[in-house]
Amino acid sequence: MNNTLYEFGMVGLGVMGRNLALNMADHGVAVIGLDLDPEKAGALETEAGAGKPVRGTTSAEEFVKSIRRPRALMLLVPAGKPVDMVIASLLPLLEPGDIIVDGGNSYFPDTDRRVTELAEKGIHFFGMGISGGEKGARFGPSMMPGGNREAYERLRPTFEAVAAKVNGEPCVTYLGNGSAGNYVKMVHNGIEYGIMQLIAETYDLLKRGLNFSDEELQAVFEQWNQTELQSFLIEITGEILKKEDEVTGKRLVSVISDRARSKGTGKWTSQNAMDLQAPVPSIDMAVLMRDMSKYKEERVEAAKLLPNHTLGASTVAQRDELVNHLRNAFYFAMVSTYAQGMAQLRLASEAYNYGLQLQEVAKIWRGGCIIRAVCLEDFRQAYDKNPELPNLLLDPKIGKDLLDRQQDIRSILKLAIDKGMPMPAFMASLSYFDAYRSETLPTNLIQAQRDYFGAHTYERIDQEGLFHTQWS
Ligand code: 6PG
């Protein structure tokens, strides 16, 4: 490949960049990689194996010169400052019409800024969420690109070749303008946080609340993955629960510290949802339970001072029946979480002029990504039938699915309350449903209180206009 031009350039040959470049090479896309670390640059060719159209370099000049015009290059460097630094270093070498794709989890306002700054120089900038981790990058991720629609045609064949496929359909599509791709990936991660929290609450109720053994726990998730809950996160949970620790012989998960970390995408989802007035309570709960997990010393002290004596005394005779209720409860809460995230995407699309099509989002989330699940095909069909659907709960089939399962989630939450087990994401998922399907909410009283103490006025249900009352 020394004289021929490469189809694609990859900047940053860390875990994601290297694997995605190798994935491209596997699909016959000639790719050149750039990394300042000579070891990483050199390893790319070796790892690809003989005869693959791939090369690594440490020279930005050589890299840019070797890509066919208009150039398509992707950055897989840490989000934030490094993205701006890499853009600044490559910019003098690029020409109008060239395309830069940022494949990291960048904060969407940063992407909008970069789109505007680079457009002035004739460069197209794409923010593209990539989901699926290392394995996904290597063998087929879900990819969420946003940017200039015409410029996308230059990227499309490569992206469609490397993306995961579901029934032959690639898990990538043009999503919309500006930062649409990063926004969709951000909400993907918010939903990811929500479902992970629901799984964690399930595990906690069964283990700490009801004394399920390691084997029983593992069996629950393995069995659930054969049902309508089939999904990547349920599948890996079964595998995680099986893994033994080489040091202690115990299950590895039981010796892992319960302080959770995060990189910020879940928090951004919640923060922006509040800006848009899009309620996403299950995602909010997931974010704040990770925050709660940090207060280890205080929790240890509080556990002594405020003991929970109901724990450990497992009183459930009908374990199979309970697991069935829990499975239905989980399905209910999971669908509620997706509905919240999708409703946020709908509002964001209007607010930021993304032009998102939610049936396309559901379609590309069916494979490759962390929140892939069989239920996404149902969501896709719901949006296919009605692209303007304001909320998944308003789809008759999905709505009925939840109505049929509401007694299950209520009974599970009653049990959790009796046992003093925290299940805030389950509770939030049910409350979202209960509030959304309430024709009236008690916010009339809130309006009256606001008018009482602040003369903020209120509207009436029987007359037009704003009213104020002298309440006392
Ligand atoms: C994915 C993941 C990926 C990453 C998360 C982890 O879709 O492949 O979401 O992007 O693992 O950013 O996020 P936290 O560190 O915030 O849990």
Side-chain angles (χ1 to χ4, degrees), residues 88-108:
S89 71
L90 291 173
L91 204 52
L93 305 169
L94 298 176
E95 290 167 291
D98 288 349
I99 306 169
I100 301 177
V101 184
D102 171 16
N105 275 334
S106 288
Y107 187 41
F108 73 95

Side-chain angles (χ1 to χ4, degrees), residues 45 65 74 99 102 123 128 174 191 376 392 435 454 456:
E45 241 168 289
K65 247 187 7 216
M74 193 189 299
I99 306 169
D102 171 16
I123 309 281
M128 179 168 80
Y174 173 79
I191 296 171
L376 277 154
L392 284 173
H456 293 301

Side-chain angles (χ1 to χ4, degrees), residues 16 105 130-134 144 185 188-189 192-193 196 261-267 290 368-371:
M16 291 298 281
N105 275 334
I130 304 178
S131 180
E134 182 177 353
M144 297 154 237
K185 177 61 177 20
H188 165 285
N189 282 26
E192 172 185 303
Y193 273 52
M196 288 166 75
R261 303 227 173 147
S262 53
K263 293 208 211 90
T265 44
K267 184 181 78 177
R290 288 200 196 186
C369 66
I370 303 298
I371 63 168

